[in-house]
């Protein structure tokens, strides 16, 4: 079993839809949870990070962490064609120390 | 100013050659990394240096040798290139102990071995 599981997609939605991206993980010691966005031919860029359980909102983006279920989500409201990218979850901390583990990434297409 | 910059961006070379990728960060971070991203977009860590000291060395063929002359630079040298080395290589940096060790990536180096 991989430490971090993420559905690679692709996920195709119409413009304006609410997008839900998810990851599950097996290491209960993880404490920091990140979402990265990667456009084609570019490096991953940090979108959001949260510490422990709870929600964090930044504009159209909301990150949720449920440590009891070992499940994290990223919601994108009013999705735009410019949101089309690969979204990677990542986590670190606890017994893994500073080592960051990435999910495989979910490819998202937002159709105009 | 580019925070993490790596060169070259594209590299096409023949099997058996030796090549290097250079990386520099101007974020003042103390930790640098090399990641490999395969065709399925999976990011896998190869090496990490903290203040010029090797702290992560994953199962990577010893044809790959990182070198960190100072904490702002981390280069990757690859000997005797093989077809399977074709991938995108990302340099990255972070500040240990801050914000969950949030990692900042360069733009990537696309390596094609023919």
């Amino acid at each position: 079993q991989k430490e971090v599981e993420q559905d690679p997609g692709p996920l195709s939605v119409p413009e304006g839809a609410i997008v839900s991206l998810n990851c599950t993980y097996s290491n209960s010691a993880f404490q920091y949870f990140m979402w990265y966005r990667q456009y084609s031919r570019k490096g991953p860029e940090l979108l959001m990070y949260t510490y422990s359980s709870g929600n964090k909102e930044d504009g159209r983006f909301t990150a949720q962490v449920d440590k009891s279920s070992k499940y994290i989500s990223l919601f994108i409201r009013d999705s735009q064609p410019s949101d089309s990218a690969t979204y990677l979850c990542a986590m670190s901390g606890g017994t893994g120390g500073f080592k960051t583990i990435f999910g495989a990434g979910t490819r998202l297409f937002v159709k105009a | 100013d580019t925070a993490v910059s790596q060169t070259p961006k594209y590299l096409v070379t023949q099997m058996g050659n030796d090549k290097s990728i250079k990386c520099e960060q101007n974020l003042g971070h103390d930790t640098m990394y090399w990641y490999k991203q395969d065709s399925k977009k999976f990011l896998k860590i190869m090496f990490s240096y903290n203040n010029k000291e090797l702290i992560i060395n994953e199962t990577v063929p010893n044809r790959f040798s990182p070198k960190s002359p100072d904490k702002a630079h981390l280069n990757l040298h690859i000997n005797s290139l093989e077809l399977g080395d074709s991938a995108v290589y990302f340099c990255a940096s972070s500040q240990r102990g801050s914000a969950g060790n949030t990692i900042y990536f360069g733009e990537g180096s696309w390596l094609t071995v023919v």
Side-chain angles (χ1 to χ4, degrees):
Chain A
Q1 182 190 9
K2 288 182 185 173
E3 274 193 285
V4 179
E5 299 273 5
Q6 184 177 11
D7 187 338
L11 179 62
S12 184
V13 301
E15 184 176 357
I18 296 175
V19 176
S20 172
L21 303 166
N22 312 293
C23 288
T24 59
Y25 62 95
S26 57
N27 187 346
S28 58
F30 284 137
Q31 294 176 319
Y32 296 94
F33 303 89
M34 285 76 71
W35 286 95
Y36 285 81
R37 177 175 61 196
Q38 185 176 18
Y39 290 115
S40 182
R41 296 266 163 196
K42 296 287 186 182
E45 56 175 330
L46 179 69
L47 205 54
M48 298 180 73
Y49 97 92
T50 52
Y51 172 71
S52 195
S53 283
N55 294 1
K56 187 172 185 178
E57 189 173 319
D58 184 2
R60 297 185 293 110
F61 298 89
T62 300
Q64 281 187 356
V65 175
D66 182 350
K67 289 192 73 177
S68 62
S69 302
K70 300 194 190 71
Y71 188 87
I72 70 170
S73 301
L74 177 70
F75 297 96
I76 307 174
R77 289 184 300 281
D78 187 25
S79 55
Q80 303 295 310
S82 58
D83 295 328
S84 298
T86 297
Y87 290 80
L88 302 106
C89 63
M91 31 202 96
S92 67
T95 54
F98 54 87
K99 192 172 173 182
T100 302
I101 308 297
F102 284 85
T106 300
R107 287 195 74 186
L108 172 67
F109 296 97
V110 181
K111 298 174 292 185
Chain B
D1 277 348
T2 304
V4 181
S5 58
Q6 54 184 109
T7 56
K9 187 172 175 74
Y10 299 102
L11 184 55
V12 180
T13 188
Q14 290 187 326
M15 280 175 54
N17 284 350
D18 303 339
K19 290 294 177 187
S20 292
I21 307 172
K22 295 186 176 182
C23 179
E24 175 182 4
Q25 56 96 2
N26 63 7
L27 295 168
H29 289 163
D30 60 2
T31 305
M32 295 187 73
Y33 311 80
W34 279 109
Y35 279 83
K36 180 180 180 181
Q37 190 172 47
D38 60 26
S39 57
K40 293 185 178 178
K41 294 285 194 178
F42 188 64
L43 264 175
K44 187 173 180 182
I45 191 166
M46 301 172 68
F47 303 102
S48 177
Y49 274 74
N50 176 256
N51 286 319
K52 302 197 307 177
E53 180 186 347
L54 182 65
I55 55 173
I56 294 176
N57 185 355
E58 294 294 295
T59 307
V60 176
N62 57 16
R63 297 181 294 104
F64 290 79
S65 53
K67 279 193 172 53
S68 182
D70 55 59
K71 69 177 190 177
H73 296 84
L74 180 61
N75 304 321
L76 182 66
H77 188 76
I78 315 170
N79 288 327
S80 303
L81 278 156
E82 300 178 357
L83 292 176
D85 296 333
S86 295
V88 186
Y89 293 86
F90 286 102
C91 178
S93 72
S94 69
Q95 181 61 31
R96 196 165 174 177
S98 73
N101 196 48
T102 308
I103 294 174
Y104 295 84
F105 287 88
E107 292 283 270
S109 293
W110 271 254
L111 172 65
T112 303
V113 182
V114 297

